[in-house]
């Protein structure tokens, strides 16, 4: 005979599985936000672009953290309904209301990401799909006949208890992988000139005791995200810390085909003392993955450069700007730079160089060997 509780039990199990899947996805997003590291998200770096938009942090609270808490609540409600189905109508109603609100919020955020930010975050889309699936499950549960009594089930116990360590282990392993991939494996024992050449592009006081060196790509979303943070840090410690930018276009990475032209134009701009003007303009106008050089030429033209002359110089591999770019690429490769941004911290007059990852740069700058220079007096 048909048992009306079977459908409800199956749906509650599905709700529990979806909830823990959501905990994993929102947990990964939260790790990325907490450590300020790039998530595996394809060559477009859409996750980084979406993460820095104001919509990703309403009221000062990252949506990743809110999503993680929501999925934990869904998991608790699902487990409650599995083990005490006869007394959990309120839990079902709460789950339905929360999932409806979560699905609506996810759809709004997805629209903002695609239509407004014009970026795609794979992790965010997965979370939105999970939230919609939870709404569908709760809608079906609302229509299912009420369960009069609960029956002990080994499968329910295995699911409820087993999913906790499995999810935590998977989340820990993924988090360690993401964070470790940001740690630079580079050589910090080379002459200082390898990190800071004589003609380096310096933002701030050239005589500042502490220097932040970045090997960056002008089309790298993570570089763009860190750029404003570094400049703000320089502003807070005016005269004590400066910033050196080295060209390291990721020319072999899909979506970065125009990184080399952008770097060459930046070097040409430096000849007129407009290097930082051009970099500012590039990072203030996210371009995603430009298919040709025109958007970059448009930015240069807005700063007063002639597009035809720029194109002529870009085609000449003997041009001084091209040679400076190749010098940066060559030195960066010898140091061991493989991705952008890669940071180094150098103290004036010292041979000691510290490599720093994206998420730890400002923590490293808080070390006593650096703060004694820029926080003293």
């Amino acid at each position: 005979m048909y048992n009306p509780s079977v459908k409800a039990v199956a749906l509650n199990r599905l709700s529990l599985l979806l909830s823990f899947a959501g905990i994993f996805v929102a947990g990964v997003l939260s790790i990325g936000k907490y450590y300020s590291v790039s998530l595996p998200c394809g060559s477009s770096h859409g996750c980084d672009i979406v993460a820095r938009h104001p919509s990703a942090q309403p009221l000062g609270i990252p949506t990743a953290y809110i999503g993680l808490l929501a999925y934990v609540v869904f998991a608790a409600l699902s487990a409650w309904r599995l083990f005490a189905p006869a007394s959990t109508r309120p839990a079902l109603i709460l789950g339905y209301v929360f999932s409806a609100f979560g699905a609506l919020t996810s759809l709004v955020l997805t629209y903002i990401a695609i239509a407004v930010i014009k970026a795609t975050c794979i992790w965010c889309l997965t979370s939105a799909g999970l939230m919609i699936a939870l709404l569908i499950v709760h809608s079906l549960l609302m229509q299912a006949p009420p369960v009069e009594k609960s029956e002990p089930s080994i499968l329910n116990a295995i699911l409820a208890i087993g999913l906790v360590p499995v999810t935590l282990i998977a989340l820990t392993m993924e988090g360690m992988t993401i964070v470790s991939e940001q740690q630079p494996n580079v050589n910090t024992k080379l002459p200082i000139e390898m990190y800071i050449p004589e003609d380096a592009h310096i933002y701030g006081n050239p005589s500042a005791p502490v220097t932040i060196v970045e090997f960056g790509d002008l089309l790298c979303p993570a570089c763009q995200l860190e750029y404003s943070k570094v400049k703000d840090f320089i502003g807070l410690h005016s005269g004590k810390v400066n910033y050196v930018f080295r060209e390291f276009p990721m020319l072999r990475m899909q979506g970065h085909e125009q990184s080399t032209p952008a770097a060459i134009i930046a070097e040409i701009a430096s000849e007129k003392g407009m290097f930082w003007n051009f970099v500012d303009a590039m990072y203030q106008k996210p371009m995603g993955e430009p298919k040709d050089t025109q958007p970059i030429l448009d930015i240069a033209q807005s700063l007063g450069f002639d597009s035809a002359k720029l194109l002529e110089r870009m085609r000449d591999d003997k041009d001084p700007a091209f040679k400076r770019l190749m010098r940066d690429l060559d030195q960066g490769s010898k140091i061991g730079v493989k991705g952008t941004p890669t940071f180094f911290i150098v103290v004036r007059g010292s041979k000691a160089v510290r490599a720093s990852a994206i998420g730890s740069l400002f923590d490293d700058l808080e070390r006593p060997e650096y703060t004694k220079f820029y926080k003293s007096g």
Side-chain angles (χ1 to χ4, degrees):
M1 295 180 62
Y2 172 71
N3 186 346
S5 67
V6 171
K7 180 179 180 181
V9 170
L11 289 171
N12 280 317
R13 288 172 180 169
L14 179 57
S15 175
L16 189 66
L17 288 168
L18 291 170
S19 299
F20 274 96
I23 289 173
F24 175 76
V25 172
V28 170
L29 287 167
S30 296
I31 289 171
K33 186 66 178 179
Y34 183 81
Y35 288 102
S36 297
V37 294
S38 298
L39 299 179
C41 200
S43 61
S44 66
H45 297 282
C47 299
D48 297 327
I49 298 172
V50 172
R52 66 171 174 267
H53 192 268
S55 64
Q57 193 161 315
L59 303 176
I61 304 175
T63 54
Y65 298 173
I66 298 172
L68 179 58
L69 177 61
Y71 285 118
V72 170
V73 171
F74 283 128
L77 293 174
S78 300
W80 182 9
R81 294 194 301 266
L82 274 177
F83 290 103
S87 62
T88 55
R89 189 67 182 177
L92 176 56
I93 295 173
L94 281 175
Y96 177 75
V97 172
F98 287 165
S99 62
F101 180 78
L104 178 60
T105 302
S106 296
L107 288 173
V108 171
L109 292 175
T110 300
Y111 172 79
I112 292 174
I114 295 174
V116 178
I117 309 174
K118 299 187 184 306
T120 301
C121 171
I122 298 171
W123 294 93
C124 302
L125 288 176
T126 302
S127 180
L130 289 169
M131 197 62 75
I132 293 170
L134 278 168
L135 174 59
I136 294 172
V137 169
H138 282 87
S139 298
L140 293 173
L141 277 168
M142 291 289 288
Q143 300 172 29
V147 180
E148 299 300 332
K149 63 177 182 177
S150 60
E151 297 179 2
S153 171
I154 296 177
L155 181 56
N156 289 348
I158 292 174
L159 279 176
I161 298 173
L163 282 172
V164 174
V166 169
T167 304
L168 289 178
I169 291 171
L171 191 54
T172 300
M173 293 179 62
E174 183 68 17
M176 290 176 64
T177 300
I178 292 170
V179 174
S180 65
E181 286 179 350
Q182 311 295 319
Q183 303 297 325
N185 183 19
V186 293
N187 190 343
T188 58
K189 304 298 183 181
L190 297 172
I192 296 298
E193 294 74 22
M194 288 288 287
Y195 309 91
I196 309 176
E198 290 186 4
D199 60 348
H201 308 300
I202 301 177
Y203 179 82
N205 178 13
S207 301
V210 179
T211 297
I212 300 170
V213 180
E214 175 189 348
F215 281 83
D217 181 326
L218 293 174
L219 291 182
C220 166
C223 296
Q224 181 186 32
L225 179 63
E226 295 302 304
Y227 180 71
S228 59
K229 295 179 183 178
V230 173
K231 289 190 69 177
D232 288 345
F233 187 85
I234 303 299
L236 289 173
H237 307 288
S238 179
K240 302 293 182 67
V241 185
N242 62 30
Y243 173 37
V244 167
F245 188 93
R246 306 291 304 275
E247 307 286 2
F248 203 83
M250 302 295 290
L251 59 164
R252 292 184 178 86
M253 182 179 290
Q254 183 180 353
H256 289 247
E257 292 81 5
Q258 303 306 319
S259 293
T260 297
I264 295 173
I265 293 175
E267 292 302 313
I268 294 173
S270 71
E271 297 170 359
K272 294 187 177 182
M274 298 185 69
F275 176 84
W276 296 106
N277 303 75
F278 180 73
V279 175
D280 282 344
M282 283 292 296
Y283 282 148
Q284 286 171 5
K285 186 179 180 181
M287 290 182 291
E289 301 178 2
K291 303 302 181 184
D292 55 46
T293 313
Q294 193 56 51
I296 303 169
L297 290 172
D298 290 342
I299 289 176
Q301 193 169 8
S302 71
L303 295 174
F305 290 92
D306 183 273
S307 295
K309 291 182 179 179
L310 289 175
L311 285 170
E312 182 180 351
R313 291 190 62 178
M314 285 163 55
R315 297 188 185 103
D316 184 3
D317 60 6
K318 295 182 175 59
D319 188 273
F322 182 81
K323 289 183 177 180
R324 288 193 296 273
L325 160 63
M326 295 308 296
R327 184 271 315 272
D328 280 7
L329 273 172
D330 179 62
Q331 292 185 343
S333 297
K334 287 179 179 177
I335 291 170
V337 176
K338 292 182 173 60
T340 58
T342 296
F343 292 103
F344 298 91
I345 305 173
V346 182
V347 172
R348 186 179 179 83
S350 170
K351 294 182 179 180
V353 175
R354 174 182 292 277
S356 188
I358 301 174
S360 63
L361 172 63
F362 298 103
D363 288 335
D364 287 341
L365 285 166
E366 289 294 322
R367 292 172 176 267
E369 60 261 41
Y370 305 124
T371 57
K372 68 181 181 181
F373 292 105
Y374 70 82
K375 285 189 176 181
S376 61

